Amino acid sequence: MYLESVITHLLCGTAKPEELHEGGPSLQAVRLGKRKAVHQGPSSSIEPTNLESDLSESKDLAKFFPELVATANAIMTESHDANPDWPLRDRAPAKTRADGRWEW
Protein backbone atom coordinates (compact mmCIF):
# COMPACT_ATOMS: atom_id res chain seq x y z
CA MET A 1 0.00 0.00 0.00
CA TYR A 2 2.77 2.46 0.95
CA LEU A 3 4.90 1.75 -2.13
CA GLU A 4 1.83 2.08 -4.33
CA SER A 5 1.09 5.50 -2.75
CA VAL A 6 4.66 6.68 -3.33
CA ILE A 7 4.57 5.54 -6.96
CA THR A 8 1.19 7.22 -7.47
CA HIS A 9 2.57 10.42 -5.97
CA LEU A 10 5.69 10.36 -8.14
CA LEU A 11 3.87 9.55 -11.38
CA CYS A 12 0.68 11.57 -10.89
CA GLY A 13 1.75 14.31 -8.50
CA THR A 14 -0.80 13.29 -5.86
CA ALA A 15 -0.86 10.59 -3.24
CA LYS A 16 -3.86 8.41 -2.51
CA PRO A 17 -6.23 9.88 0.08
CA GLU A 18 -5.61 6.90 2.37
CA GLU A 19 -1.98 6.32 3.35
CA LEU A 20 -0.58 4.34 6.25
CA HIS A 21 2.82 5.15 7.73
CA GLU A 22 4.44 3.12 10.49
CA GLY A 23 7.59 3.95 12.38
CA GLY A 24 9.29 4.10 15.73
CA PRO A 25 7.96 2.00 18.57
CA SER A 26 4.46 1.26 17.28
CA LEU A 27 3.68 4.68 15.82
CA GLN A 28 1.01 4.44 13.12
CA ALA A 29 -0.50 7.33 11.16
CA VAL A 30 -3.18 7.31 8.48
CA ARG A 31 -3.83 10.22 6.13
CA LEU A 32 -7.48 10.48 5.12
CA GLY A 33 -7.80 13.47 2.81
CA LYS A 34 -7.50 16.61 4.94
CA ARG A 35 -7.56 14.57 8.14
CA LYS A 36 -4.92 12.46 9.83
CA ALA A 37 -5.27 9.83 12.55
CA VAL A 38 -2.35 8.87 14.80
CA HIS A 39 -2.04 5.78 16.99
CA GLN A 40 0.91 5.74 19.40
CA GLY A 41 0.68 2.17 20.66
CA PRO A 42 -1.72 -0.67 21.44
CA SER A 43 -3.12 0.83 24.64
CA SER A 44 -3.43 4.40 23.32
CA SER A 45 -6.49 5.77 21.58
CA ILE A 46 -6.51 6.80 17.92
CA GLU A 47 -6.31 10.59 17.69
CA PRO A 48 -7.77 12.14 14.51
CA THR A 49 -6.96 15.76 13.61
CA ASN A 50 -7.82 18.16 10.77
CA LEU A 51 -4.63 19.15 8.94
CA GLU A 52 -6.21 22.19 7.27
CA SER A 53 -7.50 23.92 10.40
CA ASP A 54 -5.13 22.50 13.05
CA LEU A 55 -1.56 22.57 11.73
CA SER A 56 -0.11 21.78 15.16
CA GLU A 57 -2.35 18.68 15.38
CA SER A 58 -3.32 19.63 18.93
CA LYS A 59 -7.10 19.09 18.73
CA ASP A 60 -8.26 15.48 19.12
CA LEU A 61 -11.45 15.09 17.08
CA ALA A 62 -12.25 11.51 18.17
CA LYS A 63 -15.45 12.37 20.04
CA PHE A 64 -16.76 14.38 17.07
CA PHE A 65 -15.83 11.88 14.33
CA PRO A 66 -16.12 8.30 15.66
CA GLU A 67 -16.50 7.04 12.08
CA LEU A 68 -13.06 8.48 11.27
CA VAL A 69 -11.58 6.58 14.23
CA ALA A 70 -13.26 3.38 13.02
CA THR A 71 -12.01 3.88 9.45
CA ALA A 72 -8.45 4.62 10.62
CA ASN A 73 -8.50 1.59 12.94
CA ALA A 74 -9.65 -0.65 10.08
CA ILE A 75 -6.87 0.63 7.78
CA MET A 76 -4.21 0.25 10.50
CA THR A 77 -5.38 -3.26 11.41
CA GLU A 78 -5.71 -4.45 7.81
CA SER A 79 -2.42 -2.94 6.63
CA HIS A 80 -0.17 -3.99 9.52
CA ASP A 81 1.78 -7.21 9.04
CA ALA A 82 2.50 -8.81 12.40
CA ASN A 83 6.19 -9.59 12.81
CA PRO A 84 7.89 -10.91 15.96
CA ASP A 85 10.90 -8.68 15.21
CA TRP A 86 8.70 -5.54 15.12
CA PRO A 87 5.89 -6.04 17.66
CA LEU A 88 3.33 -3.33 18.35
CA ARG A 89 4.14 -2.01 21.82
CA ASP A 90 3.54 1.09 23.88
CA ARG A 91 6.04 3.91 23.83
CA ALA A 92 8.12 4.48 26.90
CA PRO A 93 7.36 7.83 28.54
CA ALA A 94 9.58 10.71 27.51
CA LYS A 95 12.33 11.74 29.89
CA THR A 96 13.91 15.15 30.24
CA ARG A 97 17.69 15.19 30.11
CA ALA A 98 19.82 17.38 32.36
CA ASP A 99 20.06 19.97 29.56
CA GLY A 100 16.25 20.18 29.35
CA ARG A 101 15.90 18.31 26.05
CA TRP A 102 13.51 15.42 25.55
CA GLU A 103 14.86 11.91 25.46
CA TRP A 104 12.80 8.97 24.17
Side-chain angles (χ1 to χ4, degrees):
M1 181 175 186
Y2 176 74
L3 181 59
E4 186 179 327
S5 295
V6 171
I7 292 170
T8 302
H9 178 71
L10 293 173
L11 295 177
C12 304
T14 57
K16 286 185 163 187
E18 297 177 1
E19 274 187 20
L20 171 72
H21 298 277
E22 292 185 315
S26 299
L27 177 65
Q28 295 175 299
V30 176
R31 175 82 185 251
L32 299 160
K34 64 182 179 179
R35 295 194 176 101
K36 176 178 158 185
V38 177
H39 193 216
Q40 298 195 30
S43 64
S44 71
S45 59
I46 294 174
E47 302 170 4
T49 58
N50 185 324
L51 297 173
E52 286 184 350
S53 62
D54 183 18
L55 296 177
S56 64
E57 300 180 28
S58 60
K59 296 180 183 109
D60 181 1
L61 303 176
K63 63 183 173 185
F64 303 109
F65 299 101
E67 72 282 356
L68 181 62
V69 173
T71 299
N73 186 45
I75 292 169
M76 290 176 187
T77 302
E78 179 183 315
S79 300
H80 177 74
D81 290 327
N83 185 317
D85 294 326
W86 299 98
L88 289 177
R89 56 191 165 97
D90 290 319
R91 278 179 93 157
K95 298 176 188 174
T96 306
R97 300 186 329 194
D99 61 5
R101 294 182 172 188
W102 288 98
E103 182 177 288
W104 292 101

